């Protein structure tokens, strides 16, 4: 009997240990909550691009620790009049997840970076932390504590980006009976290679469609070149290899896909462009470089002695060489196929009636020429009918003009939609069709339109890639100015402020660019610089309420009540909507109860 007593005592001890956490959960929660300290940086949440980023630091007394249980803080963001909330994560004081406070060894610390996606309806809202203790075993008990508001949100000043959309018009349509012409299709190659690539920047699909269309071909001209860099120019035969790759590909496609044309009946003409500085300088003169920078490149190439390789090496010393490498060199690795063709003439008659029958599948598409079919879209005011005609034209011909005008009609339909979901669907379809048009007619303007559609739809990565490609293609100064301006606006929207400043340096001093530069300074806490640039914006667009409102925000951040009141009053006088915005804007949280702020909103 005596030998069994220790066993019984040991069993009771084990049982008591297993239920200890459950018994002590309330006391553990009380101790942890009594000493908890939670801080958030920034103290008022704000947008960073498309997300809200912040850092939470939590401190609790070490004496709350108990084996088999853990104290945690569950973070969530509540908004939309407390009807919705986002669960953000947990700060759990378990072994390995906390450190000891250097100054107070009896205190545990956790610091964690957290984020959630920004949406306009999430402001105003509040960041909450709810205490909880739980047993660290499957299906263990949990005990929730009090809920604490640790920050308010969201300051959306970063969303005050200015982007002035240009209207995109339909291409003019005409029923031209003369179907003869020249089709020019550019191709681009990878650095140092002559293989034809079938992705962004090529026209493989367009060339195949053209050959399969069986237009009577009389002559094909193929040229190719290379970029100045050492990888592309070290092979003296690279340009010729690219010409031969295109020539071989064209002849093979004619043999397999064309019943009207024969390789032996087509006149082929080829030319290689080797070490052609004139082509390079032409692209430089069509770039967004500043006039002084363009002159420096011209001087280096035309007037500096040395070999081709030595001059190219000298370009590397220019402070803006990265622009040449990113936007000029890639389009020097080109090949171009130009095809002369003829087609039988067709006289214009009953175009609209025939087009309706084609759309309704009562006639074959060859009842009208591609031009006549597209022209019929101009004969109806109904957007839905225009869309059906252009969709039929796209399916029948694949012409870039049809894709372009279908995209424009889809943009126009998006503008009439009330539902955001439907509107974005139209915009994305427009972007896809602009992309198909751009692949068939690759110009800076075309890819800028792709970017614009994606930008409006909120597909920001796709928009950024298309802005970038538009710049690489080069174009007139006004076009590149607008591309860089809208690219900068997008970069601000996604939180890439330094990239936005770089893009703005290649664009003109417009109202949009001035406002966006000022916003970058504001977001970087350069308040004096931001105020000065907003004043410049007012010289470009006097009595602009947005500029005055932003000046009020700058003054509020500087705790300058008088200047805040002066600028906010001017903004509200010019546009009453800024009164409501100011009431909800956490930028004015510290001044919302001041006499100045209240009087401004009463006027």
């Amino acid at each position: 009997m005596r030998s069994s007593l220790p066993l019984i005592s040991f069993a009771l001890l084990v049982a008591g240990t297993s239920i200890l956490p459950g018994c002590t959960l309330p006391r553990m929660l009380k101790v942890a909550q009594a000493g908890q300290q939670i801080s958030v940086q920034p103290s008022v949440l704000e947008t960073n691009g498309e997300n809200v980023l912040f850092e939470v630091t939590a401190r609790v007394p070490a004496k709350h620790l108990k084996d088999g249980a853990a104290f945690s803080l569950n973070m969530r963001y509540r908004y939309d009049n407390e009807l919705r909330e986002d669960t953000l994560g947990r700060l759990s004081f378990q072994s390995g997840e906390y450190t000891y406070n250097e100054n107070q060894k009896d205190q545990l610390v956790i610091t964690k970076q957290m984020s959630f996606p920004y949406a306009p309806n999430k402001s105003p809202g509040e960041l909450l932390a709810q205490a909880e203790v739980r047993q660290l075993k499957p299906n263990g008990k949990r005990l929730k504590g009090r809920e604490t508001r640790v920050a308010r949100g969201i300051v959306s000043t970063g969303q005050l980006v200015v982007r002035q959309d240009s209207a995109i018009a339909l291409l003019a349509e005409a029923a031209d009976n003369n179907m003869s012409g020249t089709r020019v299709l550019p191709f681009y190659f990878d650095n140092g290679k002559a293989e034809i690539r079938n992705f962004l920047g090529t026209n493989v699909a367009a060339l195949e469609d053209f050959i399969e269309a069986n237009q009577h071909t009389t002559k094909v001209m193929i040229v190719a070149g290379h970029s100045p860099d050492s990888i592309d120019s070290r092979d003296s035969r690279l340009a010729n290899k690219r010409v031969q790759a295109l020539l071989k590909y064209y002849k093979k496609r004619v043999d397999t896909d064309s019943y009207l044309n024969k390789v032996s009946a087509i006149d082929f003409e080829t030319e290689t462009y080797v070490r052609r500085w004139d082509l390079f300088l032409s692209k430089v003169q069509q770039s967004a470089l500043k006039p002084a920078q363009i002159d420096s490149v011209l001087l280096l190439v035309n007037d500096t002695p040395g070999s081709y390789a030595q001059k190219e090496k000298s370009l590397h010393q220019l402070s803006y060489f990265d622009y040449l490498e990113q936007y000029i060199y890639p389009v020097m690795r080109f090949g171009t196929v130009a095809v002369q063709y003829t087609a039988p003439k067709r006289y214009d008659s009953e175009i609209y009636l025939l087009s309706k029958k084609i759309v309704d599948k009562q006639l074959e598409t060859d009842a009208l020429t591609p031009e006549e079919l597209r022209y019929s879209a101009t004969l109806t005011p109904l957007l839905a009918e225009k869309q059906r005609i252009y969709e039929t034209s796209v399916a029948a011909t694949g012409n870039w003009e049809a894709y372009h005008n279908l995209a424009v009609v889809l943009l126009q339909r998006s503008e009439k939609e009330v539902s955001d979901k439907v509107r974005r669907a139209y915009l994305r379809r427009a972007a896809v069709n602009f992309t198909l048009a751009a692949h068939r007619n690759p110009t800076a303007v075309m890819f800028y339109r792709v970017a614009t559609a994606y930008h409006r739809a909120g597909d920001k990565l796709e928009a950024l890639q298309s802005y970038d490609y538009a710049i690489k293609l080069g174009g007139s100064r006004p076009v590149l100015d607008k591309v860089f301006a809208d690219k900068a606006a997008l970069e601000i929207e996604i939180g890439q402020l330094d990239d936005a400043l770089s893009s703005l340096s290649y664009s003109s001093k417009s109202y949009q660019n001035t406002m966006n530069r000022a916003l970058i300074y504001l977001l970087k806490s350069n308040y004096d610089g931001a105020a000065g640039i907003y004043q410049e914006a007012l010289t470009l667009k006097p009595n602009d309420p947005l500029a005055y409102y932003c000046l009020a925000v700058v003054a509020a951040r500087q705790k300058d009540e008088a200047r805040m009141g002066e600028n906010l009053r001017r903004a509200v006088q010019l546009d009453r909507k800024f009164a409501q915005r100011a009431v909800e804007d956490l930028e004015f949280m510290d001044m919302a109860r001041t006499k100045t702020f209240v009087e401004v909103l009463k006027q």
Side-chain angles (χ1 to χ4, degrees), residues 98-365:
Y98 60 79
T99 60
Y100 283 89
N101 193 329
E102 292 182 0
N103 301 320
Q104 293 178 264
K105 296 300 183 181
D106 62 343
Q107 194 177 59
L108 311 179
V109 181
I110 292 179
T111 298
K112 188 173 184 179
Q113 305 289 333
M114 306 188 84
S115 68
F116 58 89
Y118 170 74
N121 67 326
K122 293 185 179 181
S123 181
E126 53 187 2
L127 180 65
L128 305 169
Q130 184 170 38
E132 180 186 78
V133 288
R134 69 189 190 282
Q135 293 177 326
L136 299 177
K137 64 179 182 179
N139 302 315
K141 292 183 179 180
R142 294 173 180 267
L143 182 62
K144 294 186 182 294
R146 67 173 179 265
E147 195 173 64
T148 306
R149 185 176 76 180
V150 294
R152 296 183 64 187
I154 303 167
V155 172
S156 56
T157 303
Q159 304 296 314
L160 294 176
V161 181
V162 174
R163 187 165 67 90
Q164 298 174 307
D165 268 340
S166 302
I168 300 178
L170 289 162
L171 298 172
E173 300 284 13
D176 186 1
N177 290 331
N178 183 6
M179 297 300 294
S180 301
T182 301
R183 181 74 180 273
V184 179
L185 298 170
F187 292 78
Y188 296 98
F189 296 86
D190 290 328
N191 199 2
K193 296 183 178 180
E195 293 81 14
I196 299 173
R197 64 187 194 187
N198 191 12
F199 55 91
L200 188 65
T202 73
N203 274 293
V204 171
L207 181 59
E208 291 175 353
D209 289 346
F210 180 81
I211 292 172
E212 290 173 5
N214 282 291
Q215 302 286 9
H216 181 64
T217 302
T218 57
K219 185 175 184 179
V220 175
M221 294 157 283
I222 302 175
V223 300
H226 64 84
S227 62
D229 62 277
S230 58
I231 295 177
D232 218 43
S233 62
R234 66 186 174 194
D235 183 353
S236 61
R237 299 188 65 252
L238 182 59
N240 184 60
K241 290 177 182 177
R242 288 170 173 170
V243 167
Q244 295 304 316
L246 290 169
L247 179 62
K248 180 180 178 181
Y249 185 84
Y250 192 96
K251 288 182 175 181
K252 180 180 178 182
R253 284 296 177 182
V254 170
D255 278 337
T256 58
D257 299 336
S258 178
Y259 61 82
L260 180 66
N261 297 296
K262 294 185 180 300
V263 171
S264 59
I266 299 174
D267 178 17
F268 288 95
E269 182 180 309
T270 62
E271 184 176 354
T272 56
Y273 294 154
V274 180
R275 298 191 172 186
R276 291 282 298 271
W277 281 120
D278 57 327
L279 299 179
F280 171 76
L281 294 178
S282 174
K283 289 291 183 184
V284 168
Q285 289 173 305
Q286 290 183 320
S287 72
L289 291 172
K290 294 179 172 59
Q293 294 172 330
I294 294 174
D295 291 343
S296 296
V297 176
L298 292 172
L299 184 65
L300 189 154
V301 171
N302 291 331
D303 298 337
T304 303
S307 66
Y308 185 88
Q310 289 171 335
K311 289 183 179 182
E312 195 280 330
K313 193 172 183 180
S314 297
L315 292 174
H316 289 251
Q317 309 306 314
L318 299 174
S319 61
Y320 44 89
F321 174 73
D322 59 337
Y323 183 96
L324 301 178
E325 187 176 44
Q326 185 175 1
Y327 296 121
I328 304 296
Y329 279 17
V331 292
M332 294 291 295
R333 307 176 191 119
F334 75 96
T336 301
V337 177
V339 185
Q340 289 183 358
Y341 65 94
T342 60
K345 290 184 177 181
R346 179 188 297 279
Y347 292 100
D348 182 13
S349 65
E350 300 180 346
I351 290 178
Y352 179 61
L353 180 61
L354 289 174
S355 74
K356 283 183 68 67
K357 291 184 177 181
I358 291 172
V359 168
D360 293 336
K361 302 187 183 305
Q362 297 175 10
L363 285 177
E364 296 296 325
T365 54

Side-chain angles (χ1 to χ4, degrees), residues 436-451:
L436 293 168
H439 285 176
R440 288 158 172 76
N441 181 36
T443 64
V445 170
M446 292 304 301
F447 274 95
Y448 173 51
R449 290 176 180 173
V450 176

Side-chain angles (χ1 to χ4, degrees), residues 40-56 77 88 112-118 127 151-155 159 493-496:
V40 178
Q41 287 296 328
S43 56
V44 179
L45 303 184
E46 58 186 49
T47 57
N48 186 305
E50 298 179 280
N51 295 298
V52 178
L53 310 179
F54 57 96
E55 180 182 85
V56 181
Y77 185 76
L88 307 182
K112 188 173 184 179
Q113 305 289 333
M114 306 188 84
S115 68
F116 58 89
Y118 170 74
L127 180 65
R152 296 183 64 187
I154 303 167
V155 172
Q159 304 296 314
E493 291 172 13
I494 61 178
Q496 297 178 357

Side-chain angles (χ1 to χ4, degrees), residues 474-488:
S476 65
R477 170 68 65 173
V479 170
L480 292 179
D481 270 351
K482 190 59 179 163
V483 176
F484 270 114
D486 286 357
K487 180 172 181 276

